[in-house]
Amino acid sequence: MSNALFKLARVSEDGVIRPCHGGTGAWPPLGKPLRVDGPLRACSHGLHLLRKRDIARWLAADVTLFSASSPSTGANDRIEDDEKLVVREATLIRALGVITLPALVAFAQWC
């Protein structure tokens, strides 16, 4: 079983990394952790990450797939949802690639 974590996000022309499925704010530069305070709640508060099995559900055109890490393991620091993880702290490690519209079409045809 893989413990790999991922994040899909939009990268602006000036390099700012922002959520692509709702949410506000921006991620710090790669390698710098981001932390949120307060109660975690899926779809409304927390840092949303993906496991490998979750990625296809959240694909969209013109988003970047990042590898990520999170030290959040406790009940107050992590929620395991059927389609994502919600964590208190996470770091984007590196950009793995941009999901393009042609890639999405090819993926849909393959599935």
Side-chain angles (χ1 to χ4, degrees), residues 21-109:
H21 292 291
T24 59
W27 283 80
L30 298 180
K32 304 275 185 184
L34 180 60
R35 183 174 173 81
V36 298
D37 294 318
L40 298 178
R41 195 167 25 256
C43 300
S44 64
H45 187 74
L47 304 174
H48 293 62
L49 300 178
L50 305 172
R51 299 158 292 218
K52 186 176 179 181
R53 70 176 195 230
D54 304 321
I55 295 172
R57 162 71 175 84
W58 297 101
L59 287 176
D62 302 320
V63 299
T64 300
L65 179 65
F66 293 90
S67 61
S69 65
S70 175
S72 301
T73 58
N76 292 326
D77 292 331
R78 181 181 182 116
I79 296 172
E80 297 219 15
D81 190 76
D82 288 341
E83 303 174 329
K84 62 189 160 289
L85 298 176
V86 183
V87 297
R88 184 163 311 285
E89 183 176 337
T91 304
L92 300 183
I93 306 300
R94 69 183 180 102
L96 300 174
V98 176
I99 310 299
T100 63
L101 184 57
L104 284 177
V105 170
F107 178 75
Q109 292 171 338

Side-chain angles (χ1 to χ4, degrees), residues 7-35:
K7 176 71 180 172
L8 286 168
R10 293 201 189 281
V11 180
S12 66
E13 289 183 14
D14 58 351
V16 177
I17 303 167
R18 297 196 183 279
C20 61
H21 292 291
T24 59
W27 283 80
L30 298 180
K32 304 275 185 184
L34 180 60
R35 183 174 173 81

